[in-house]
Amino acid sequence: MTPPDEIRDLREQAVARATRSLVVCPYLTRFRPGEPSAVRTPEARRDEAVGLARAIDLNVVRADLAPLSAIRPATYLGKGKVEAIAAEVKADSIDLIVMDCALSPVQQRNLERSCGCKVIDRTGLILEIFGRRARTAEGALQVELAHLAYQRSRLVRSWTHLERQRGGFGFLGGPGETQIETDRRLIQERMVRIERELENVKRTRGLHRASRGKVPYPIVALVGYTNAGKSTLFNRLTHADVTAADMLFATLDPTMRLIRLPHGGSAILSDTVGFISDLPTMLISAFRATLEEVLAADVILHVRDISHADTEAQGRDVEAILAELGIADHADRVIEVWNKIDRLDEPARALLAAEREKQPKPQLAVSAKTGEGIDRLLAAIEDRLARGRALLDLKLSAADGRGLHWLYEHGEVMSRRDHDGAVYLSVRVAADQIERVRRRFPSAAIAR
Ligand SMILES: Nc1nc2c(ncn2[C@@H]2O[C@H](COP(=O)(O)OP(=O)(O)OP(=O)(O)O)[C@@H](O)[C@H]2O)c(=O)[nH]1
Ligand SMILES: [Mg+2]
């Protein structure tokens, strides 16, 4: 992190900590079948909303549930509830209300008027978090694009300005941030310019990848609900030191590292942004390019916090987002990683084992924290990568240094025996390399 970033972070943190916030979680009391979030309890949703508010250091003074029989077009909440909140705002000197729902611009403005303080909705909050976390030029551009799309959808007086800044959109106010009215045309122009810039960034990155393409490592991608333990697992597998924190959306920008597989092969592991229920669609589309690239991986590890009360709902939310990104057709590439088993006691583990028996999908239970199950996970990754590849048995002269070198470069040497001036190898190669190997080493025979 560069020093100016650090200063900005500290400033934003200080402003946020001084922002007395009220989290309000409206939920419909009528059950709506087919709604994925319906499986969560209102309390669980409230805890998550508080986690989101804390992710940008807001001082959460209270968190209220707001049961509703119907959504009011003007204020979202009913009149009585709005009055009660207005009284709370006064009594507790609240500066900001976080509404854990999607508000229309009119609802937002009306609530602000009635309650006498700023109001943001779930989308606004998530955008703010993403803005804070973006560290790369690409991440910042994608977040800005998403934010502009959000603004365009409202076109009301906004607290943001069109000056480019890394992220912090300044809904909390702060020095140097002016409130200006923006119009559709300005936003549109800015969006077009950002899209062009993103193209450039992508092209440069594409070049990097092209040079990396000479080393044909398979890609293994981590995906999962925010806070599931992706970065912790990334660190465990790569011996790296990526930020892992008990914080929603700790990671935003993709990170890649080489991992070693049990038989000496290598793969590139990528860590990326986590998902959440009701992830704003503008964020999905802004991050689509990055996500799609990550998800073009050979193996996708869907990391789940199996110790979380909402683990099922979280798993389903992630699957829904993957489906939206077109991954559903490639379900055979996905391995579920049931993480945090160290948090389960014996009876819970027994239940989990029984549950795993019933699962049609491949899954492995691990603890990224203690390392339990990690060897099995690596073996499973290796096994999955081996599909579509062949194991060849070869005999080379020990003097054929170049041939040996070529095999180590292009294949995965599973075993080697040196005997009487000859080298016996079992080498795993990609399907499209088999013919090449056979031409070069006519003795090569498919072992399995
Ligand atoms: N007990 C236990 N805690 C874990 C385990 N794996 C991760 N955690 C904790 O869970 C929290 C979230 O971990 P991260 O690795 O940051 O999660 P993430 O999926 O990268 O989260 P985002 O980047 O926010 O999407 C941290 O406090 C970790 O220490 C585990 O196996 N066991
Ligand atoms: Mg992370």
Side-chain angles (χ1 to χ4, degrees), residues 53-55 59 230 255 278 394 405 433 442:
R54 295 221 165 107
N59 172 9
K230 298 177 294 299
T255 316
D278 305 322
L394 296 128
H405 182 75
Q433 294 284 331

Side-chain angles (χ1 to χ4, degrees), residues 392-395 434 437-438 441-446:
L392 299 174
D393 282 338
L394 296 128
K395 181 183 170 193
I434 297 174
V437 177
R438 279 203 165 139
F441 308 96
S443 75
I446 293 193

Side-chain angles (χ1 to χ4, degrees), residues 214-345:
K214 291 196 193 105
V215 195
Y217 292 124
I219 310 255
V220 178
L222 294 167
V223 300
Y225 208 78
T226 180
N227 219 42
K230 298 177 294 299
S231 299
T232 310
L233 186 60
F234 182 86
N235 289 339
R236 166 71 61 185
L237 292 172
T238 64
H239 313 288
D241 193 16
V242 164
T243 305
D246 192 7
M247 175 165 76
L248 301 183
F249 295 119
T251 309
L252 186 64
D253 300 308
T255 316
M256 304 213 175
R257 275 282 174 96
L258 214 58
I259 54 169
R260 290 261 165 234
L261 298 170
H263 290 92
S266 300
I268 292 172
L269 186 69
S270 86
D271 183 18
T272 188
V273 58
F275 300 155
I276 196 162
S277 68
D278 305 322
L279 191 65
T281 43
M282 48 273 266
L283 269 175
I284 299 182
S285 48
F287 279 78
R288 182 173 282 274
T290 312
L291 287 173
E292 274 173 354
E293 202 172 284
V294 168
L295 297 174
D298 300 274
V299 175
I300 296 170
L301 301 179
H302 173 182
V303 183
R304 288 178 53 186
D305 176 354
I306 213 69
S307 72
H308 197 288
D310 289 333
T311 187
E312 287 298 322
Q314 295 181 343
R316 242 169 291 159
D317 284 328
V318 170
E319 278 171 7
I321 295 167
L322 290 180
E324 197 170 324
L325 290 164
I327 301 304
D329 316 337
H330 305 279
D332 56 328
R333 283 191 284 140
V334 180
I335 302 176
E336 280 200 7
V337 181
W338 292 8
N339 189 31
K340 306 201 189 180
I341 47 167
D342 58 286
R343 297 183 67 181
L344 304 181
D345 55 15

Side-chain angles (χ1 to χ4, degrees), residues 375-444:
D375 288 346
R376 257 174 295 136
L377 174 60
L378 281 167
I381 295 172
E382 187 181 64
D383 192 48
R384 185 58 60 98
L385 288 173
R387 287 191 200 167
R389 302 201 297 163
L391 192 63
L392 299 174
D393 282 338
L394 296 128
K395 181 183 170 193
L396 270 78
S397 152
D400 186 4
R402 282 180 61 174
L404 277 170
H405 182 75
W406 191 93
L407 284 170
Y408 274 97
E409 277 279 287
H410 293 84
E412 200 178 333
V413 177
M414 305 300 285
S415 70
R416 171 177 175 158
R417 193 166 57 87
D418 292 65
H419 183 71
D420 252 0
V423 184
Y424 299 85
L425 297 166
S426 288
V427 185
R428 193 123 71 183
V429 292
D432 57 358
Q433 294 284 331
I434 297 174
E435 274 319 300
R436 237 174 119 188
V437 177
R438 279 203 165 139
R439 269 202 308 274
R440 191 171 171 140
F441 308 96
S443 75

